[in-house]
């Protein structure tokens, strides 16, 4: 049965990525509309990032096997670079306005991902920069996973937990590095001849890790969301089970989420811009809610159009 859940995730990858994107957008809504209590139900929605990275780890393996290294990197950069550069150009304008100026050095750091490491510039988000590094390091992660199997993501998870307990990471570094074990788990499930076995074992391991993180939280060593992404593997399997009928019928709901799965980067960049625009808003909470939804839709449409033009 677990094998069927796993196969459903991979077969309908775009559908689940679309769901993940909506979960992220709903969770980010809290950043602008915290006063609306009902919206706190979407608080764990950032687990959508973990769904992305698990499916990305699996999908990159397939691309790595089918293409030469040159073709692999060309395809990845062709997909992410337009949206990355568009967003970083926006970040430069945002920094220029909010900080009354922008140096050449800061602009350089923004456009080269150095701002992710707090070298210079301004870091408004972490995912796009981190994804570029994951693409760059993928052959190493893939090779290590092939060599030592399930031990590798387990080692990474232990290392991440130890660093979270010992170090005071910045929010973007914490959010990025903590997701590496889930990404590698996706690689493991691709190369393993016993996909279900490894997936279930690692799910159990992640839940045990969640107990450890719970202790860290109670002793004020971790944030609440760190407990959620440790449980990500089991959550992903449950999501697969809940979506069984929808993926079988491939109805309107399936088609809508599958389309969202095709434009996740555009939706994500639109969401990051929307968050920054509303970060210091003094409007009423319901005005912010309307602006959040409106901005998300309009910017996504614009970015999809721009991306099509840039790729011609």
């Amino acid at each position: 049965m677990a094998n069927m859940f796993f196969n459903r995730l991979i077969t309908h990858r775009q559908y689940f990525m679309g769901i993940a994107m909506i979960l992220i957008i709903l969770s980010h809504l809290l950043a602008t509309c915290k006063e609306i209590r009902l919206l706190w139900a979407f608080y764990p929605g950032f687990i959508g990032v973990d769904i992305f990275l698990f499916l990305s780890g699996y999908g990159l393996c397939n691309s790595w096997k089918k293409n030469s290294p040159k073709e692999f990197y060309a395809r990845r950069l062709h997909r992410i670079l337009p949206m990355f550069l568009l967003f970083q150009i926006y970040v430069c304008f945002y920094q220029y306005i909010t900080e009354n100026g922008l140096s050449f050095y800061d602009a350089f750091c923004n456009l080269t991902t150095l701002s992710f490491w707090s070298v210079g510039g301004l870091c408004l988000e972490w995912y796009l920069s981190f994804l570029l590094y994951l693409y760059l390091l993928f052959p190493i992660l893939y090779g290590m996973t092939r060599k030592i199997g399930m031990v590798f993501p387990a080692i990474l998870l232990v290392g991440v937990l130890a660093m979270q307990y010992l170090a005071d990471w910045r929010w973007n570094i914490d959010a990025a590095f903590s997701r590496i074990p889930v990404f590698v788990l996706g690689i493991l499930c691709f190369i393993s001849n016993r996909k279900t076995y490894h997936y279930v074992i690692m799910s159990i391991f992640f839940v045990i890790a969640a107990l450890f993180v719970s202790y860290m939280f109670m002793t004020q060593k971790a944030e609440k969301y760190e407990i959620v992404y440790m449980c990500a593997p089991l959550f992903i399997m449950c999501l697969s089970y809940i979506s069984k009928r929808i993926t079988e019928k491939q109805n309107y709901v399936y088609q809508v989420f599958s389309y969202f799965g095709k434009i996740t980067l555009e939706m994500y960049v639109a969401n990051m811009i929307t968050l920054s625009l509303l970060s210091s808003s003094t409007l009423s909470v319901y005005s912010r809610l309307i602006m959040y939804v409106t901005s998300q839709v309009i910017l996504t449409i614009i970015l999809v159009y721009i991306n099509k033009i840039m790729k011609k």
Side-chain angles (χ1 to χ4, degrees), residues 28-43:
H28 285 169
L29 180 57
L30 291 177
T32 54
C33 302
K34 292 180 180 179
E35 301 93 323
I36 304 178
R37 292 183 177 275
L38 289 176
L39 294 180
W40 282 92
F42 302 127
Y43 177 71

Side-chain angles (χ1 to χ4, degrees), residues 90 94 272-281 291 295 299:
Y90 166 78
Y94 182 87
M272 292 298 101
I273 295 175
T274 297
L275 283 176
S276 66
L277 292 174
L278 294 176
S279 61
S280 58
S281 174
M291 287 189 65
S295 175
L299 287 174

